[in-house]
Amino acid sequence: MSMTPEQAAWFRDTFTRLVDNVDQALMGKRDVVGLVLAAMLAEGHVLLEDAPGTGKTSLAKALAASVQGTSTRIQFTPDLLPSDVTGVTIYDQQNHKFEFHRGPVFASIVLADEINRASPKTQSALLEVMEESRVTVDGTPHEVGRPFLVIATQNPIEQAGTYKLPEAQLDRFMIKTSIGYPSLAVAERILAGNVERNPSANLQPIITTKAVADMADLAASVHVDPAVARYAAQLVEATRESASTKLGVSVRGAISMMRIARVVAASQGRHYVIPDDVKSLAAAVWTHRLVLDPEAEFSGTTADSVIERALADVEAPLARATA
């Protein structure tokens, strides 16, 4: 059953209230907050490539506070073990049985700080629970619950001693974006105000985690016209056929686009997806999935330019206003 216009209006209002609430802790970054919130409601995960001190932890805590959820932060280091992320089974001598002790991944929002500093084995432990939404220890599955959002970060500098995420693992993130430094005007507001160590501590919750799960289910019912789906498929095909790429957008990448485009449409009060939704999300959803040809990359070609070329070459269909 497709979303109704009334449900779309409620979704838009609730989405806006959530963004407004988070904006109190992360001022001047409404576009990024909206994008990360859309990924959460599309039940995907986020990769942030950003410099230190731009508010990544504040974003995770503010989102969790806004939805009455929990947040954890895992500092990825070379000596971090998979069990440090997922949890471990320990024998209880009093009860004479093994008990599972949950790891920090059991939270509504998990900040995986500098994920590329951990070993590939530990990275895989996190990426597995991202895909399955559960942890299996000693043959017993443990659900992480809903909502479940992983915000993984990479530092674009100081690459010594890091383990680059393979392309297959990058493909598991729904979007890749960055927060960036605040504008001069926003920086003045931040410095002129009372600078708190934890700006999300005073935020009031807007909705419950149960309502977040309901919003995710509702967003999945947003109508996608076959012409819009065909347009997205043609864009994906264009990235694969480009002479500048060795590997284009995957099927998972195409599906991720449709999932988050539904959320973005609903966040704007529409119960249907239009081509502009796909266009606005193309860079965030697809650039990190491309593998460029070495010669093209050496000559200055970027993933962004490949996406821009695909958007220019593929003709968008006329927007459909009804389901």
Side-chain angles (χ1 to χ4, degrees):
M1 185 176 178
S2 297
M3 175 186 283
T4 64
E6 292 76 16
Q7 290 173 323
W10 172 84
F11 192 106
R12 177 199 59 210
D13 294 342
T14 305
F15 191 95
T16 302
R17 289 170 58 208
L18 285 167
V19 173
D20 290 342
N21 205 49
V22 176
D23 187 57
Q24 297 179 53
L26 198 72
M27 290 188 289
K29 297 296 179 181
R30 293 183 62 86
D31 290 343
V32 177
V33 172
L35 192 59
V36 173
L37 179 58
M40 182 174 72
L41 293 174
E43 300 190 296
H45 304 284
V46 179
L47 180 63
L48 291 179
E49 188 169 87
D50 225 329
T54 53
K56 298 182 287 290
T57 303
S58 296
L59 172 60
K61 288 184 176 180
L63 274 175
S66 299
V67 300
Q68 286 189 346
T70 56
S71 67
T72 56
R73 179 178 180 272
I74 309 172
Q75 184 63 54
F76 278 68
T77 55
D79 59 346
L80 194 72
L81 299 175
S83 58
D84 295 331
V85 175
T86 59
V88 64
T89 300
I90 299 176
Y91 184 73
D92 189 332
Q93 293 184 346
Q94 289 185 336
N95 297 326
H96 302 289
K97 63 179 182 179
F98 287 95
E99 291 185 352
F100 177 64
H101 291 247
R102 294 186 170 193
V105 78
F106 286 87
S108 305
I109 298 174
V110 179
L111 179 66
D113 209 7
E114 295 190 286
I115 186 176
N116 55 332
R117 293 202 177 277
S119 67
K121 187 174 183 179
T122 304
Q123 291 176 6
S124 297
L126 177 66
L127 293 164
E128 180 183 5
V129 68
M130 285 167 53
E131 185 74 14
E132 304 293 337
S133 294
R134 65 181 181 182
V135 171
T136 302
V137 177
D138 296 332
T140 303
H142 305 274
E143 301 290 334
V144 295
R146 297 172 74 193
F148 176 59
L149 171 68
V150 172
I151 302 177
T153 73
Q154 287 190 139
N155 192 336
I157 60 176
E158 296 179 355
Q159 295 299 314
T162 63
Y163 300 86
K164 183 181 178 181
L165 286 174
E167 285 74 15
Q169 294 185 359
L170 284 172
D171 195 44
R172 295 178 184 270
F173 290 95
M174 178 169 280
I175 62 170
K176 179 183 177 184
T177 187
S178 63
I179 297 176
Y181 291 118
S183 65
L184 180 59
V186 173
E188 289 177 355
R189 287 172 52 201
I190 294 172
L191 298 178
N194 295 322
V195 181
E196 300 181 15
R197 290 182 61 87
N198 185 12
S200 62
N202 298 323
L203 293 183
Q204 297 298 315
I206 301 300
I207 57 176
T208 63
T209 52
K210 173 63 169 60
V212 174
D214 291 341
M215 288 183 71
D217 292 336
L218 186 60
S221 67
V222 171
H223 175 72
V224 177
D225 191 89
V228 176
R230 188 180 309 112
Y231 175 58
Q234 290 172 337
L235 289 173
V236 167
E237 190 66 23
T239 66
R240 296 171 184 168
E241 294 178 349
S242 172
S244 300
T245 60
K246 290 179 59 181
L247 189 67
V249 175
S250 66
V251 175
R252 182 190 280 118
I255 294 173
S256 293
M257 172 60 78
M258 289 295 94
R259 284 166 54 191
I260 194 170
R262 286 182 167 96
V263 176
V264 168
S267 73
Q268 296 176 6
R270 283 183 279 105
H271 60 288
Y272 53 89
V273 176
I274 61 176
D276 283 348
D277 296 328
V278 177
K279 292 179 182 179
S280 66
L281 292 164
V285 179
W286 286 339
T287 52
H288 63 288
R289 305 174 193 271
L290 300 181
V291 179
L292 298 179
D293 178 80
E295 291 187 7
E297 190 171 13
F298 182 76
S299 64
T301 300
T302 63
D304 285 299
S305 64
V306 173
I307 297 297
E308 289 172 3
R309 172 55 60 186
L311 291 172
D313 290 345
V314 179
E315 184 178 358
L318 296 175
R320 300 290 183 93
T322 58

